Amino acid sequence: MEIELSRRTLLRGVAGASLAVGAGLYTATPALAVPAPAITGCAGWNARPAKSTPQLLDHKPTVLVVHQTETPNSTDLSKAHAFSLARSIQNHHMNNNGWIDSGQQFTISRGGHVLEGRHRSLSALKGGKQHLLGAHVGGHNTTHIGIENEGTYHTVTPPDQLWASLVAMCAYICQQYGIKVANIKGHRDYNATDCPGNKLYSMLPKLRQDVSKLLG
């Protein structure tokens, strides 16, 4: 239950804090860091080797882009299904698109499992100083980091498990790279596409709000 403090009590507290500061006794409590979500690296889901080594750029990304995979909204929420999804995305990107590896840096399954997409993305994120060049937003890949969300969200919302992982992952990425929450965008903000789906795109303001809460 919340307790309403009187003005006198509040003033006493402020005065006490001021005295403590003056005496050198007061230590500010630092903001809690957002913990790293559980992320399965490429080796964990048995990724193919990239055709060539993905490039690390000596600057941080400034924009975080939300995508949908436009695959069926599977009811299989298992980790095994998530791994199979990651392999099918990689195969499509390499075999059909002719890319060196998966285009996006990270993938989240409908079961909420977070996976590294393109090789080296996870180590770059943990370091927080370099951007792993992807292939997910035409004309903007040198500055934009992307998350693919399993499913198609034109008329339905993402399942709770996916949403929770998306919020946690966005908060961690924003923290690691210093990306402004306002710079969490949808794919359609940059290219002629309906990605990430009308429903998920309409939820981006809520996503920014939920991420802000985690970041404090």
Side-chain angles (χ1 to χ4, degrees), residues 77-90:
L77 308 182
S78 68
K79 185 173 285 189
H81 169 77
F83 291 179
S84 177
L85 170 74
R87 289 191 292 270
S88 68
I89 291 173
Q90 185 189 41

Side-chain angles (χ1 to χ4, degrees), residues 32-39 165 167-173 175-176 214-215:
L32 294 176
V34 175
I39 305 171
S165 291
V167 171
M169 191 62 182
C170 285
Y172 184 63
I173 291 174
Q175 170 188 270
Q176 291 299 99
L214 276 189
L215 290 171

